[in-house]
Amino acid sequence: MSDEDRRPPGGGPLARGAHPRSPFGVLTLALNVIGTVLIIIIAVAVNSDIIGRNLFNQPIAGVTEFVGLSIVAVVFLQMANTLREGRHISNDLIMAWVGGSHPRVALFFYGVFHLIGVFLMCFIVWYVVPIFRENYVGNFYKGTAGVVQIPVWPFMLVVLVGGTAAAIQYLLLAWGEFRRFLGKKTQ
Amino acid sequence: AQDKISLTVAAGTPPRALLAVAKVGEFFIPEVNRRIKTAGINFQIDWKEAYAGSLLKQMQMLDGMRDGIASIGVVPSIFYPDKLPLEQLSFAVPFSTFDVALVSAIMNKLHKAIPEFAAQYDKFNQVRLGGSGVDSMELLTTFAVKSVDDLKGRKISTPGLALAWLRGTGATPVQGNMMEYYNSTRTGVYQGFIVMPSTFPAMKYPEVAPFVTKVGFGAQYATVLTINKDVYNKIPEAVRKILDEVGEQWGIETDKAHMNAAEAGYASLPGFKAQLYALPREEQVKWAKAMPNLAREWAQNADKEGLPGTKALAMFMDELRKAGVRPVRDWDKE
Amino acid sequence: MSDIAIGVLCLAGSLVLIQSGMQVGVALILLSFLGVWAINGIAIAGKLLASSATTSIASEVFAVIPLFVMMGLLVSATGMGRDTFDVAARLMRRLRGGLGVATVAANAVFAACTGTSIASASVFTKVAVPEMVRHGHTLPFAVGTVAGSSVLGMLIPPSLLMIIYGMIANTSIGDLFISGIVPGVLLAVAFSLCILSLSFLRESFVFADSSAIRRAHMGRLDEAPLYVLALKFLPVSLLVGAVLGGIYGGFFTPTEAGGAGALAAFLIGVVRRELSLRGFWEVVLETGRVTCAICFLLMAAQLYSQMLTMSGLPYAVGQWLRTAELTFPVILAGYLMVVLLMGCFLDALSIMVILLPFVLPVVDGFGTNLVWFGLITIVTIEIGLLTPPLGLSVFVVKANLGDAKITVWQIFMGTMPMTITMTLFLVLVVLFPWLALVLVGNANWNWW
Ligand code: NA
Ligand code: NA
């Protein structure tokens, strides 16, 4: 299957022939790998708790809290790469119709859509900074005092890093769409 | 001056699931309106209610109230051990009393006597209007419990905070929540759980765990009503005073409702063919002695953070004794 | 402009934006952001955005999504899915549309191990769709069948939606679970009948290949001896057995079942030597992308519902309902219509959280059986999983498919027959509360 066949509507620089090994692409992949490892850790944690509880009468305290925090981290770690692969869910009834007769108009709008993504991601990051700081300074945790305490700030740090990467990825996607809109071929 | 304000009241829990939330709509709002009218103050509050997490989820309550997303909120203080450390006091002092009204009254006294209590809320740009507890938390099991020894090797589920009550008992604590208890006990994931009696009729817990043991963990302080400070400061002083008074009264009403609900819970037991057993005092002492000194641990941790933990604990215990309670274990004097 | 008007505008805005080609998550977050900004200012909009991004999915309930997704991917990566469908095809080979029926039946069995429709949709997109296409069905029909029958995941116990309803309505979750069994099985039968009649009445919708090619495929299956089929069926039976046995044997909770199922599928794959390290890594990478797409959407949907609450729109509707002095049948019909309508725009969780606190006191006043009411609420909300513009089951199928050859819209079209079947089924359960209550021991209750 050629890249062009895989091209999801309105996204996916891979499908547009971007370098899979561009420095930023490697970064998104690295974040993706960390997120992937975290998923494996979630699976191991849940199963260890089940096995520990049933076979050794020794459940693992804090699994509930840990997996709850981890899923947020997983989502933000995977965000940029999921974007890059064009795997976020979209429903292009209108643009498919517009693109049929006015492909340039559609390209312009896809560019605008990605810019909105940049804007929203920046906003999330901007307002998560105080949340991160508060958790770091206040030593806030999830769990039960005296039993298990999981600090929240590392997870918020991950949100900041993943959110920033996603903002950059949206910007690159918007750039690609606008270049095509202006008639220059990417690569 | 402003003579009208719009206040949004939020809760992360539905009114049907938590009496503290139900009492906001049934008591707090109409009572505030009534008192403003009776006092002849020219001020009108336009209330909007948003419960069940439709505006703020349980874990968003404290931060969301600070940011002004809601003006008044029901904050489950038990879920914020990191942000409201002093409010956790009652959980560190199990085997105190079944009288939830007494526990709340003591906590109100602590709030008035020790400024660090209010400072917790100040940090989050809020003023605490009132606090309330839950009726006692009891042990429901699939097997008979006559002594702490019967728990050895058994898996017992509790919400996060009460996990500590199983320390030293030989039971395996499994973290769970109210929604899981019924099915997980029926399938055998665990053999018992710790829950409030007021939930018996609706949740039918005694069907799957027919041995109900009044261990004596006692009533617990759990939920507070707070108002965003900026909003509070915008309100005329006469109305502020009404909010304060009705807020405290909200706690009392909630506690009363909890006591009634607990009674109804115990009354429902024969219908489930469940049996109630109250641990005699010597067994309570045995259980309490099996635990590490939770209260001392808690107080020392608070002290380390620069909070008056030891002082609050001593005052809490003294107030208990003053009210005629004979604590099962003198946590503060060991 | 009044806050309520802003809410209405944002509702209308989603109609356009979700269809525009903008990512659905981005569209919902944008509307929420603009809505909150208009109502409460930009600072609160930003704070709510950040707060929801970091907390709304931060719970065990959402953390098991990747585990259920992984289980589905492992089932398909290890060839278990293919084998299952060979067996189903063999057993149903004399039946026109037999594979569709097999998908529904397999979904009903799987529903007994999972609590969310997301899991069902994830697993069967990987397992059933390629096989149905291989056996000559059209892609829209294949994905439509999967998306449609995924609703069984939350109707047949255990069910996440029932847990949440029980929590809001303060009703026994045990009773709610039991009330789903008869309607769940009945809906599976209804779906099967729908597929069978389609395969006769709308052949071009169901089949891509001519019947001759299909017969050749099936003929190949005929030649395989029975014991080969039995062997092929063994691994997947082991998996389902492990998950079901684990739940009902008290080893783990339905929430944890995803983790245990993923581990079991992994072990089966290793033992059968059908899972290399590289293959496993691919599966987990893909799990991450699918999880990210689904959770991003869930996060956005919750934010969107918070914005709507802030506008006061649901509150106003609730107040009106409380004061309008309507009769029960009118309220019931109106309520179901509103849920169906909301189901077009919102996710299941948000609908319950927004609507139930206002509606429950009203229906409770009429002495309504809240278990039955919960069941019809859940069925109605689940129809929303399949209706455009925002149909979560359809989106999950799309996310798992990772294939640009089919659009979300085509999946909606493919699901349409199931959606219609389900709506008719809803009428049945509304008219005959007996269906929900017979096993709960309350068979005589009725509202008319
Ligand atoms: Na299910
Ligand atoms: Na929908």
Side-chain angles (χ1 to χ4, degrees), chain C residues 119-334:
Chain C
S120 299
S122 297
V123 170
F124 284 92
T125 306
K126 290 293 175 187
V127 170
V129 171
E131 302 309 316
M132 285 174 81
V133 171
R134 196 162 65 95
H135 285 100
H137 297 73
T138 66
L139 189 53
F141 172 73
V143 291
T145 304
V146 168
S149 50
S150 75
V151 300
L152 294 171
M154 288 198 287
L155 193 55
I156 294 173
S159 158
L160 182 66
L161 274 188
M162 286 177 182
I163 291 179
I164 291 165
Y165 175 87
M167 198 161 64
I168 297 177
N170 208 10
T171 304
S172 163
I173 293 170
D175 281 359
L176 283 167
F177 276 11
I178 294 168
S179 77
I181 295 173
V182 172
V185 172
L186 211 60
L187 183 60
V189 172
F191 279 159
S192 302
L193 290 177
C194 166
I195 289 167
L196 290 179
S197 33
L198 277 176
S199 68
F200 283 102
L201 302 175
R202 289 271 182 279
E203 196 168 348
S204 62
F205 177 79
V206 177
F207 299 111
D209 292 344
S210 74
S211 51
I213 297 175
R214 276 199 326 272
R215 263 197 294 279
H217 261 294
M218 298 297 173
R220 183 180 62 78
L221 290 167
D222 264 341
E223 289 155 19
L226 265 176
Y227 77 91
V228 173
L229 287 179
L231 277 180
K232 281 187 166 191
F233 197 56
L234 188 64
V236 81
S237 327
L238 274 176
L239 179 65
V240 171
V243 173
L244 276 182
I247 292 177
Y248 292 98
F251 284 97
F252 41 77
T253 64
T255 337
E256 293 169 328
L263 177 66
F266 172 78
L267 292 178
I268 291 172
V270 169
V271 169
R272 294 179 76 202
R273 293 163 187 264
E274 283 193 357
L275 191 66
S276 62
L277 196 62
R278 188 174 173 78
F280 176 65
W281 184 247
E282 287 296 323
V283 162
V284 198
L285 276 180
E286 179 66 9
T287 302
R289 292 188 191 115
V290 175
T291 304
C292 180
I294 295 170
C295 287
F296 182 56
L297 195 67
L298 286 172
M299 188 192 284
Q302 291 190 56
L303 182 69
Y304 185 68
S305 75
Q306 285 174 301
M307 179 274 298
L308 282 183
T309 304
M310 202 177 265
S311 78
L313 183 61
Y315 186 65
V317 173
Q319 286 292 62
W320 175 80
L321 203 69
R322 235 181 299 195
T323 49
E325 306 223 340
L326 303 166
T327 60
F328 184 73
V330 174
I331 288 185
L332 188 64

Side-chain angles (χ1 to χ4, degrees), chain A residues 108-160:
Chain A
F108 175 76
F109 271 102
Y110 281 130
V112 172
F113 294 164
H114 288 312
L115 277 186
I116 292 172
V118 177
F119 167 77
L120 291 176
M121 273 301 153
C122 287
F123 239 89
I124 291 180
V125 169
W126 180 257
Y127 279 96
V128 170
V129 169
I131 296 181
F132 163 74
R133 198 188 305 128
E134 174 190 40
N135 277 288
Y136 184 79
V137 174
N139 252 328
F140 295 146
Y141 63 88
K142 291 271 180 286
T144 312
V147 182
V148 65
Q149 288 171 235
I150 301 163
V152 176
W153 68 263
F155 297 90
M156 295 302 112
L157 187 62
V158 168
V159 171
L160 289 179

Side-chain angles (χ1 to χ4, degrees), chain C residues 41-70:
Chain C
I42 195 165
I44 286 191
K47 283 170 181 170
L48 185 63
L49 184 51
S51 164
S52 291
T54 50
T55 54
S56 64
I57 57 161
S59 97
E60 193 195 12
V61 172
F62 297 105
V64 294
I65 290 176
L67 303 181
F68 278 112
V69 171
M70 199 197 297

Side-chain angles (χ1 to χ4, degrees), chain B residues 222-239:
Chain B
T223 315
V224 295
L225 188 66
T226 71
I227 182 168
N228 174 283
K229 211 169 175 181
D230 305 329
V231 173
Y232 188 71
N233 290 335
K234 255 190 269 172
I235 295 172
E237 198 174 339
V239 178

Side-chain angles (χ1 to χ4, degrees), chain C residues 340-347 351 381-392 412:
Chain C
L340 276 177
L341 204 66
M342 286 175 87
C344 295
F345 304 99
L346 291 169
D347 70 298
I351 298 173
I381 284 179
E382 288 202 297
I383 294 176
L385 295 172
L386 309 178
T387 54
L390 194 140
L392 204 66
F412 276 124

